[in-house]
Amino acid sequence: MDEHKINMLSDKIVKGTISEQEMEEFNEWYSTYENLEQNVTTDKNQEALAERLFKNIITEANLPVSKPRSIKIWPRIAVAASFALVFGMSIFYYTAKQADQTRQIADLNNIKPGGNGALLTLANGRTIRLDAATKGELANEAGVRITKTKDGQILYEVGEITSAKDKINTLSTAKGETYTITLPDHTKVYLNSASSLSYPASFATLKERKVELTGEAYFEVFKDSAHPFIVRTADQEIKVLGTHFNVNSYKEDGNTKTTLIEGSVKIGFSSRTNETEAIIKPGEQAYIKANKIYVDQVNAEDAIAWKNGYFRFNNETLEQAMNKIARWYNVTIEYKDPTIKNRNVYGSLSRFSNIGVVLNLLELTEALKFEIEGNKIIVLKK
C-alpha cells in the first residue's frame, strides 16, 4: 500500500468515517509489518511514516496517550504496537463521540419551545382542552357564554345579570403552554407556563373581582372604581382598580414578585395576620421576604418579556434562568455542581428559538456547559 493510501485511511480513522472493509485493508498493511525486528536499521521510511501517523492520531483525537518510552530499544515494534493501540482507542473514541453527538443533536431537536394551550375546568367539573377545541361556543353556565375566538383566546360574555360567585372556573397551563383569556369583567389575562388562574364565571353582584393565581400572569385590568380587582397568591394580595401589571408567584423562584407597568397597585399579605401594605408605582417591583414587603426599582420590560415572546436574563441567577427554560421547553434540570446555581447570567433572545441556541447563549455568559439526555438538561462547570 502506498503512503498516500495509508494517510487517507488514517485520516478516516481519526474522523471516525472509516468503513469496515477499509479497516480490514489497513490491518492487512499492519500484518505485512511483522518482521520489524529484522529490519530495525533498514526501513527508515516506514518508521518515519508510522511515527508521523502516530503523532497525527494523538493530536487529532486529543487522546491521553503518550509516545512509548521503549521506542529507543525496539523502535518499530514499539511504534507499531502503540500505533495499533491508539488506532483502537481512536476508533472507540470517535465512534462513541459521534454516537454521543448524534444522540445529543437528536435530543435537542426533540425539545420544542412551548405554544398556545391550556385546560379549562368548569364549575361542574367538566374539562375542556382549549388547544384542541374548535372556535365558537364552548359552554354556557349561569348566563355566561364561554367562547373560543378565531385567534385562539377564551372570551367570557355575560348575558343576564346573575350571580355566579360559587361557580369557579380554572384555567391552567402545563409546562410548555401559555394562554390568553378575557374574563367576565373584560379584564385580559395572559397566563404563562405551569400556571393556573381561578375566577368566578361572573363578577355580577360581587363587590370585589377576586381571582387566585399560581405561577405567572400578566393582567390588563378593566377599570371599575366601584369594584376593586384583587389577585391572591400564596403570600401576596394585590389590589387594583384598573391597571397593567405582572405577577410571578412560582414557588421554585422563591417568592411572589409583582411588577407594575402602569397605574398603581396596593400590595398586602394574603395572610390576615399581617395588615402591612405598600403602594407601588410604574417601574417598581414588590416582594415579600421575612414577613416584610420590599419595593425595588426595576426594568419592567424584563418582567413581561415572556408575554412579548422573549427570554430576558438580566442579572438573575442561573437557577432562575434555567427554571424559565424548564417551564417553557418542558424539560428537567440537573446540576452536577449545585454551587453554580447562584451565578448571575445575562442575555436576551426569542422564546421560540431552538433550545440549543438558548443554551449556547448561557454558555457564553458563564463558565458552564450543558449536556442533553432525552428530556433532561445537565448543567456542568467547564
Side-chain angles (χ1 to χ4, degrees), residues 49-78:
L49 173 60
E51 290 214 44
R52 186 171 68 253
L53 292 178
F54 175 85
K55 289 177 181 177
N56 287 344
I57 294 289
I58 291 293
T59 301
E60 295 296 328
N62 194 26
L63 292 169
V65 178
S66 60
K67 186 175 175 181
R69 296 181 181 180
S70 59
I71 195 168
K72 291 183 179 179
I73 302 174
W74 297 107
R76 295 177 190 147
I77 293 177

